[in-house]
Amino acid sequence: MKTEPGLHGHHISQQFNEELEDIKTNLLEMGGLVEQQLTDAIQSIIEADSEVASRVEAADVEVNEMELAIDESCHRILARRQPAASDLRLVLGIIKAINDLERIGDEAAKVARLAGELAQQGEPSKGYVEIRHIGERVRAMVNMSLDAFARYDPEAALAVAREDNNVDMEYGSAMREMITYMIEDPRSITRVLNIIWALRSLERIGDHAKNIAEHVVYMVVGEDVRHAGLSAMEEQVSSEE
Amino acid sequence: MKTEPGLHGHHISQQFNEELEDIKTNLLEMGGLVEQQLTDAIQSIIEADSEVASRVEAADVEVNEMELAIDESCHRILARRQPAASDLRLVLGIIKAINDLERIGDEAAKVARLAGELAQQGEPSKGYVEIRHIGERVRAMVNMSLDAFARYDPEAALAVAREDNNVDMEYGSAMREMITYMIEDPRSITRVLNIIWALRSLERIGDHAKNIAEHVVYMVVGEDVRHAGLSAMEEQVSSEE
């Protein structure tokens, strides 16, 4: 992945530069692992593949360890290097982004656990189309948010926030459909509930991707756009150009 | 609430001391508001009180603003004061804790929205006993985690983490009961689902209270106990005595 070469080029200390690049690289590695977890989790549910499902759950330990290690590196940089301005925003942005990545990993592990239960409950269920569809969208959101992070690209971050609105709408319509299934066929309740939990986890993953996108805007623009709504975010990003 | 007087008493700069105390006070104020939101949300659902419910939703805006303001104060302290050691841990602990508090506020607002829907769906529903019971437990957890923060008390933090296990068990048994109701009476599905969402929000609130407790342990002991499990947390706390 590309990194913006000019952004941290003003440091006297070459080593400090390298430390900052290192934690950014570590974040993107952690992001790559989480993306893989998510891809596998969706596959495990659609193909009822319990082997892939246990791989996702196992990866969660690694993701957690990465979060702690990167967090510690950030604390060390804050204590020793006392960064200011855009460097400080980068370190704080990373501290927040790894927290969101860790939660994405958690939700992916939940989806994988549900895959195991659904595989045991037999007969292909309604709701797989929705899982595949929403799963693909949030996977793309996670990918795009990491890309925005790597390239310091607030426009890409904005696209993630916009996409979250679409995912929320699709999620709402999928949920209404699932409730209709349950009412029509009460014997399917336990099974459809597992689909509902999986859809909910996917929707949460979209929220976390949006959070990461907001951290990117904060890092680049210097404005905290959380809770501000999409139009305020658009304004901040466009005023930067 | 008490604050530990000796902990930041070693600063040459009296003003820095005051700044640290100020953000800690702000966090506790934000915590107080979130606690009230939670109390109101539980009441609104049990008493089908839509006036209280809209108060909870309105408070969410204030909570979000508090989060941004405290976050900004923390960034300013990091940039200007370049804190080290326990001061740095305090500032980073606050940055993380306000994020958890904000999410607790979000979940409380969700519960309040569900109260509105449930009030419209008429007839007292099964599941209110469970909501009251689990709601009371997680409300106590939030209170205890803030108290642990105010007093720098890792023992109290440990008690919060222990209580989270109990809440998870009660949540699991309440969920099984709700699923049984749905299967026995499919006409109740929509309504019972709303109870399920509320229970799930309460359970998430317990998780966030546990996160705050983990931040307290990190601040006092200097060890990151996230993902480490309860026994590792107990070990860290007891080795401190």
Side-chain angles (χ1 to χ4, degrees), chain A residues 71 75 96 218 226-227, chain B residues 67 71 75 96 218 226:
Chain A
D71 211 31
H75 292 200
K96 287 173 182 174
Y218 168 72
R226 288 175 296 171
H227 316 306
Chain B
E67 184 198 9
D71 211 29
H75 291 199
K96 288 174 183 175
Y218 168 71
R226 290 175 294 172

Side-chain angles (χ1 to χ4, degrees), chain A:
Chain A
M1 291 187 203
K2 281 189 296 176
T3 53
E4 196 84 42
L7 257 164
H8 304 296
H10 56 284
H11 294 128
I12 296 163
S13 159
Q14 176 61 23
Q15 210 198 328
F16 180 23
N17 256 337
E18 282 168 15
E19 283 175 23
L20 286 177
E21 280 307 319
D22 277 353
I23 50 170
K24 215 177 131 186
T25 306
N26 291 341
L27 172 132
L28 294 172
E29 275 171 17
M30 181 181 172
L33 190 59
V34 167
E35 264 190 79
Q36 188 58 52
Q37 257 191 310
L38 179 51
T39 307
D40 289 348
I42 297 164
Q43 188 197 329
S44 73
I45 215 162
I46 289 171
E47 299 178 6
D49 189 333
S50 50
E51 204 171 303
V52 173
S54 30
R55 200 163 68 209
V56 177
E57 294 192 60
D60 209 34
V61 178
E62 205 180 330
V63 168
N64 291 346
E65 278 167 11
M66 284 173 110
E67 184 198 10
L68 295 184
I70 297 171
D71 211 31
E72 211 185 306
S73 301
C74 289
H75 292 200
R76 213 177 309 123
I77 285 187
L78 287 173
R80 294 200 193 146
R81 300 290 185 176
Q82 299 158 346
S86 71
D87 297 330
L88 178 59
R89 292 207 302 271
L90 171 64
V91 176
L92 292 173
I94 288 175
I95 287 178
K96 287 173 182 174
I98 55 173
N99 188 250
D100 283 300
L101 281 177
E102 189 269 329
R103 285 161 198 247
I104 292 174
D106 270 357
E107 299 293 342
K110 275 187 212 167
V111 172
R113 268 193 297 280
L114 292 164
E117 288 189 33
L118 281 162
Q120 285 174 1
Q121 287 165 337
E123 67 173 292
S125 166
K126 295 184 170 171
Y128 278 21
V129 173
E130 287 79 1
I131 288 200
R132 186 197 298 269
H133 193 65
I134 295 180
E136 185 41 51
R137 286 192 101 138
V138 299
R139 207 201 48 73
M141 280 176 75
V142 173
N143 182 273
M144 217 189 319
S145 72
L146 289 168
D147 216 42
F149 209 109
R151 294 187 281 113
Y152 277 82
D153 183 345
E155 290 288 346
L158 205 51
V160 176
R162 282 194 197 108
E163 178 67 359
D164 192 44
N165 287 349
N166 298 330
V167 167
D168 286 350
M169 272 191 301
E170 286 202 18
Y171 169 74
S173 108
M175 286 297 287
R176 283 187 294 275
E177 220 164 321
M178 293 307 116
I179 293 170
T180 307
Y181 288 148
M182 284 199 285
I183 293 171
E184 283 172 358
D185 179 11
R187 288 166 309 164
S188 73
I189 286 176
T190 313
R191 192 174 167 83
V192 175
L193 269 179
N194 282 331
I195 299 282
I196 285 180
W197 300 139
L199 286 169
R200 204 172 168 88
S201 282
L202 293 174
E203 188 267 338
R204 295 289 300 153
I205 289 172
D207 288 344
H208 288 297
K210 185 186 165 206
N211 291 349
I212 294 173
E214 288 171 346
H215 304 323
V216 173
V217 174
Y218 168 72
M219 279 178 4
V220 180
V221 183
E223 281 289 331
D224 200 326
V225 293
R226 288 175 296 171
H227 316 306
L230 192 56
S231 58
M233 192 169 168
E234 281 164 350
E235 212 169 283
Q236 284 301 334
V237 171
S238 66
S239 72
E240 192 61 7
E241 290 163 337

Side-chain angles (χ1 to χ4, degrees), chain B residues 144-164:
Chain B
M144 217 189 321
S145 72
L146 290 167
D147 216 43
F149 209 108
R151 292 187 283 114
Y152 276 81
D153 183 346
E155 290 288 345
L158 205 52
V160 175
R162 282 194 198 107
E163 178 67 357
D164 192 45

Side-chain angles (χ1 to χ4, degrees), chain B residues 110-130:
Chain B
K110 275 186 213 169
V111 171
R113 268 193 297 279
L114 292 163
E117 289 189 32
L118 281 162
Q120 285 174 359
Q121 287 165 338
E123 67 174 288
S125 166
K126 297 186 169 168
Y128 279 20
V129 174
E130 287 79 2

